[in-house]
């Protein structure tokens, strides 16, 4: 056995007459190196288990002794760390078959320095660490360990600003980390693996069905996502078909709503494909969640449908906000705005294409263990920030800016028209429709960004809580409701985009379409719809 002595920590052993060891009863004790981080380099490096508290392993002892880590950190007593370790990791001495505890004086100095601070925050000195139960220095019947503090006296305890000593967090130094259930250890050469940020863990994979939620919660998530994706598909399909049968009805500045709805049609289709193909087929590679890959064909298709068209829908909302601003604030007519439609399409389809190609080129497609889809950023926080969170935030700010400017102009126009004695009923109705649709988009978009921000901020802590042992009783666990809210808000915009066609004109459009297919006489009786001349929004 080797002894290590630090400059400020020296262990003094009182050696009695060697004949005492010959008379002592032998114990079957196996020495083992100390693995508890807090108790390394305290003057000895070998211990035995079980200890006097009946901890069978050092892992069990470490969970309990680390509860005193805050007191050690604030240095309420220079003897505390040595005293605690002598109790939880007792020294193992070759050829000496009796327990060798710390001396009573060591316990009394540790208690004198830390007990007042513990009482101040509602904690009592542990009964199992009674100083009266320990041998006194120089007792010929029982050896004990003394701690030399002559060179560095016990400092006065520093009063912390917290209300009570906190439990050590997984981010604190000295927390042993290992890849354990529910995470799976994988070899570095495995094609899909996730290096969880646990400090000492080389590679740790997320299981196919996730690491944080119960089977019942995952089953409900499948039902929840399936319900809203199907409703979104039906709503957006109706909007798209209404546009196809009566294209002249939807002109700029409201036409981007149709393209936005069409994007959500394909987003919902991506979720439906996942429902049909199954969680394991899309998001998993065997028992592991898919990580940093392009995935099989079904995974790539689901990724492109959800990511490409999801980003395109955000850009179409920015374009919608811009066209309303041009019509309301700049007094542009429908034909003038439509003349720039090719640039709108270029921006709406090119930017998501570049981002999607970049994700595929970087092999950054990964699986979502909750929704069972292929996306980007589910396993890599940096990719989530760069490819999802940052673009959505920029699009939201741009769109909201254009909408605010447009509303200011609409209120100004309404005031001028009303001051001139003209009626403003049509203009007020238009403003209400714009306001309703704005709320129906901006609120879900803001909530989605908030959910992604929560996820990228706390994911590392969730993973380290599962893999690092620090004796912490408050486990960091993701909020299930936040994930369900995110999936709902990602699809509800497609459902509410149909608000724009919920009117009597839509019924007339479908009636004419029906008569055009099955009853030409009825169509002649109803008459062909007349196309009103396009006028600037300011003259509505």
């Amino acid at each position: 056995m080797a002894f290590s002595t630090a400059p400020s920590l020296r262990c003094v052993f009182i050696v009695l007459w060697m004949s005492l060891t010959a008379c002592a009863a032998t114990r079957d004790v196996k020495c083992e190196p100390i693995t508890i981080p807090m108790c390394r380099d305290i003057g000895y490096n070998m211990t035995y288990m079980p200890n006097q508290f009946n901890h069978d392993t050092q892992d069990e002892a470490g969970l309990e002794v680390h509860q005193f880590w805050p007191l050690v950190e604030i240095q309420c007593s220079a003897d505390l760390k040595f005293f605690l370790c002598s109790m939880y990791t007792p020294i193992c001495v070759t050829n000496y078959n009796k327990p060798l505890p710390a001396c009573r004086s060591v316990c009394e100095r540790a208690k004198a320095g830390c007990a007042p601070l513990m009482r101040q925050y509602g904690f009592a000195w542990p009964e199992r660490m009674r100083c009266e139960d320990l041998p006194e220095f120089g007792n010929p019947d029982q050896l004990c360990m003394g701690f030399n503090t002559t060179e560095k006296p016990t400092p006065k305890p520093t009063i912390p600003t917290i209300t009570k000593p906190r439990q050590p967090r997984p981010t604190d130094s000295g927390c042993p980390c290992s890849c354990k259930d529910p995470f799976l250890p994988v070899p570095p050469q495995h094609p899909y693996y996730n290096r969880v940020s646990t400090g000492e863990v080389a590679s740790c994979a997320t299981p196919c069905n996730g690491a944080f939620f119960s089977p019942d919660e995952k089953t409900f998530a499948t039902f929840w996502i399936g319900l809203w994706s199907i409703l979104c598909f039906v709503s957006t399909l109706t909007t798209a078909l209404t546009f196809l049968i009566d294209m002249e009805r939807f002109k700029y500045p409201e036409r981007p709503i149709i393209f936005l709805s069409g994007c959500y049609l394909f987003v919902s289709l991506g979720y439906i494909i996942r429902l049909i193909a199954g969680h394991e087929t899309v998001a998993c590679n065997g028992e592991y969640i898919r990580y940093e890959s392009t995935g099989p064909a079904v995974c790539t298709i689901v990724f492109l449908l959800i990511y490409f068209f999801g980003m395109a829908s955000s850009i179409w909302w920015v374009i919608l906000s811009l066209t309303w601003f041009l019509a309301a604030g700049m007094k542009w007519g429908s034909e003038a705005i439509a003349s720039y439609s090719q640039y709108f399409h270029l921006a709406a389809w090119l930017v998501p294409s570049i981002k999607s190609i970049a994700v595929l080129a970087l092999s950054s497609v990964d699986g979502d263990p909750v929704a069972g889809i292929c996306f980007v950023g589910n396993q890599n926080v940096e990719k989530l920030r760069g490819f999802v969170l940052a673009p959505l935030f920029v699009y939201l700010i741009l769109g909201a800016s254009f909408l605010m400017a447009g509303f200011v102009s609409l209120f100004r126009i309404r005031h001028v028209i009303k001051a001139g004695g003209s009626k403003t009923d049509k203009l007020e109705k238009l403003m209400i429709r714009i306001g309703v649709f704005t709320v129906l988009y901006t609120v879900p978009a803001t909530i989605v960004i908030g959910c992604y921000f929560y996820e990228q901020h706390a994911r590392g802590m969730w993973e380290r809580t599962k893999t690092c042992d620090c004796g912490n009783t408050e486990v960091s666990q993701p909020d299930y409701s936040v994930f369900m809210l995110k999936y709902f808000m990602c699809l509800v915009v497609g459902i509410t985009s149909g608000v724009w066609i919920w009117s009597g004109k839509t019924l007339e459009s479908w009636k004419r379409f029906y008569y055009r297919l099955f009853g030409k006489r009825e169509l002649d009786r109803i008459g062909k719809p007349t196309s009103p001349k396009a006028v600037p929004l300011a003259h509505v």
Side-chain angles (χ1 to χ4, degrees):
M1 194 206 89
F3 287 85
S4 60
T5 304
S8 61
L9 297 175
R10 292 202 303 267
C11 214
V12 180
F13 296 97
I14 306 172
V15 182
L16 297 180
W17 187 34
M18 295 300 296
S19 61
L20 290 174
T21 63
C23 299
T26 61
R27 295 184 301 145
D28 185 14
V29 173
K30 182 180 179 181
C31 294
E32 59 183 64
I34 296 176
T35 59
I36 298 177
M38 193 180 83
C39 293
R40 294 172 181 169
D41 301 325
I42 60 169
Y44 62 91
N45 54 17
M46 301 295 287
T47 186
Y48 62 86
M49 290 288 155
N51 58 19
Q52 61 178 327
F53 301 134
N54 294 322
H55 295 135
D56 295 326
T57 64
Q58 292 192 55
D59 289 338
E60 295 180 17
L63 288 174
E64 188 169 315
V65 74
H66 271 99
Q67 295 180 10
F68 297 93
W69 180 260
L71 293 175
V72 175
E73 283 289 285
I74 64 176
Q75 299 180 354
C76 58
S77 173
D79 299 85
L80 180 64
K81 181 177 178 179
F82 175 79
F83 170 69
L84 291 172
C85 292
S86 70
M87 303 287 283
Y88 286 91
T89 56
I91 186 172
C92 184
V93 183
T94 308
N95 297 326
Y96 185 75
N97 298 314
K98 285 186 177 182
L100 193 59
C103 296
R104 183 182 300 181
S105 58
V106 177
C107 176
E108 291 173 345
R109 290 196 299 267
K111 182 177 180 180
C114 299
L117 183 61
M118 295 174 64
R119 285 195 300 269
Q120 181 177 350
Y121 296 105
F123 296 92
W125 185 259
E127 185 66 22
R128 59 167 58 182
M129 297 181 186
R130 283 167 41 92
C131 299
E132 293 79 6
D133 297 336
L134 298 175
E136 294 184 353
F137 182 84
N139 185 350
D141 297 327
Q142 175 66 59
L143 292 178
C144 65
M145 295 188 296
F147 186 61
N148 189 349
T149 58
T150 57
E151 296 181 2
K152 185 178 180 179
T154 300
K156 294 182 180 180
T158 303
I159 305 299
T161 57
I162 54 178
T163 58
K164 63 180 180 178
R166 67 173 178 86
Q167 298 290 352
R169 302 172 302 171
T171 51
D172 293 336
S173 59
C175 293
C177 302
S178 60
C179 192
K180 55 190 177 183
D181 185 71
F183 292 100
L184 303 173
V186 292
Q189 64 270 20
H190 194 279
Y192 308 114
Y193 69 91
N194 181 13
R195 290 186 179 273
V196 179
S197 302
T198 57
E200 300 178 8
V201 181
S203 59
C204 192
T206 303
C208 175
N209 290 315
F212 303 108
F213 300 128
S214 66
D216 291 339
E217 289 174 328
K218 295 168 189 172
T219 301
F220 177 79
T222 301
F223 164 77
W224 180 260
I225 296 171
L227 172 65
W228 296 113
S229 60
I230 292 174
L231 291 178
C232 180
F233 180 81
V234 172
S235 176
T236 52
L237 181 62
T238 303
T239 303
L241 292 177
T242 303
F243 170 71
L244 292 176
I245 66 173
D246 192 1
M247 298 180 64
E248 291 298 322
R249 173 185 162 192
F250 301 95
K251 297 184 178 182
Y252 285 95
E254 65 181 359
R255 179 166 289 192
I257 296 176
I258 304 302
F259 298 118
L260 185 151
S261 182
C263 289
Y264 274 96
L265 172 65
F266 289 99
V267 170
S268 63
L269 183 62
Y271 282 100
I272 293 175
I273 291 176
R274 171 262 178 263
L275 292 175
I276 297 174
H279 179 108
E280 292 77 10
T281 302
V282 177
C284 301
N285 177 57
E287 59 180 334
Y288 306 108
I289 198 71
R290 202 171 299 282
Y291 179 73
E292 287 193 347
S293 71
T294 54
V298 64
C299 174
T300 304
I301 291 174
V302 170
F303 161 74
L304 289 175
L305 287 173
I306 297 178
Y307 181 77
F308 173 82
F309 287 102
M311 290 296 163
S313 68
S314 297
I315 297 179
W316 275 116
W317 182 71
V318 175
I319 295 173
L320 173 64
S321 305
L322 173 61
T323 55
W324 280 118
F325 170 72
L326 293 176
M330 307 300 293
K331 313 297 189 299
W332 284 32
S334 177
E335 293 81 1
I337 299 175
S339 64
Y340 290 89
S341 61
Q342 65 272 23
Y343 300 106
F344 299 153
H345 283 277
L346 181 65
W349 306 121
L350 181 61
V351 175
S353 297
I354 294 174
K355 291 191 293 184
S356 300
I357 293 172
V359 173
L360 293 173
L362 295 173
S363 297
S364 297
V365 179
D366 53 23
D368 185 342
V370 181
I373 62 173
C374 280
F375 201 62
V376 56
N378 292 300
Q379 305 299 320
N380 190 313
V381 174
E382 297 299 327
K383 302 292 176 59
L384 177 64
R385 294 167 181 162
F387 286 106
V388 181
L389 191 56
L392 291 180
F393 183 77
V394 172
Y395 299 150
L396 180 63
I397 294 299
L398 286 176
S401 300
F402 286 128
L403 278 175
M404 290 300 296
F407 268 115
V408 171
S409 299
L410 282 176
F411 277 107
R412 186 182 300 113
I413 294 171
R414 175 180 175 274
H415 178 73
V416 172
I417 295 176
K418 203 167 185 179
S422 302
K423 293 184 178 181
T424 60
D425 296 342
K426 292 184 177 180
L427 182 60
E428 289 175 351
K429 184 178 179 180
L430 177 63
M431 292 172 63
I432 292 174
R433 293 185 69 191
I434 298 174
V436 170
F437 188 81
T438 300
V439 172
L440 291 177
Y441 185 91
T442 54
V443 172
T446 304
I447 294 176
V448 168
I449 292 175
C451 292
Y452 278 126
F453 184 83
Y454 163 76
E455 185 177 349
Q456 64 86 30
H457 176 72
R459 185 187 296 169
M461 180 62 69
W462 302 336
E463 294 171 346
R464 286 188 289 271
T465 298
K466 290 286 188 179
T467 54
C468 299
D469 292 325
C470 301
N472 52 316
T473 57
E474 295 182 3
V475 179
S476 178
Q477 181 77 7
D479 192 332
Y480 180 73
S481 60
V482 173
F483 283 83
M484 295 302 100
L485 180 64
K486 180 183 72 172
Y487 299 127
F488 170 67
M489 290 300 173
C490 286
L491 292 166
V492 73
V493 175
I495 299 175
T496 58
S497 64
V499 170
W500 205 260
I501 67 167
W502 295 348
S503 65
K505 291 183 179 180
T506 299
L507 295 177
E508 291 295 328
S509 297
W510 280 100
K511 190 180 296 184
R512 292 191 185 93
F513 177 72
Y514 173 80
Y515 288 143
R516 191 159 53 243
L517 290 179
F518 303 105
K520 188 175 185 304
R521 293 180 179 178
E522 288 82 353
L523 177 63
D524 294 337
R525 181 172 55 83
I526 295 174
K528 296 182 180 180
T530 57
S531 300
K533 295 182 179 180
V535 294
L537 189 61
H539 298 102
V540 175

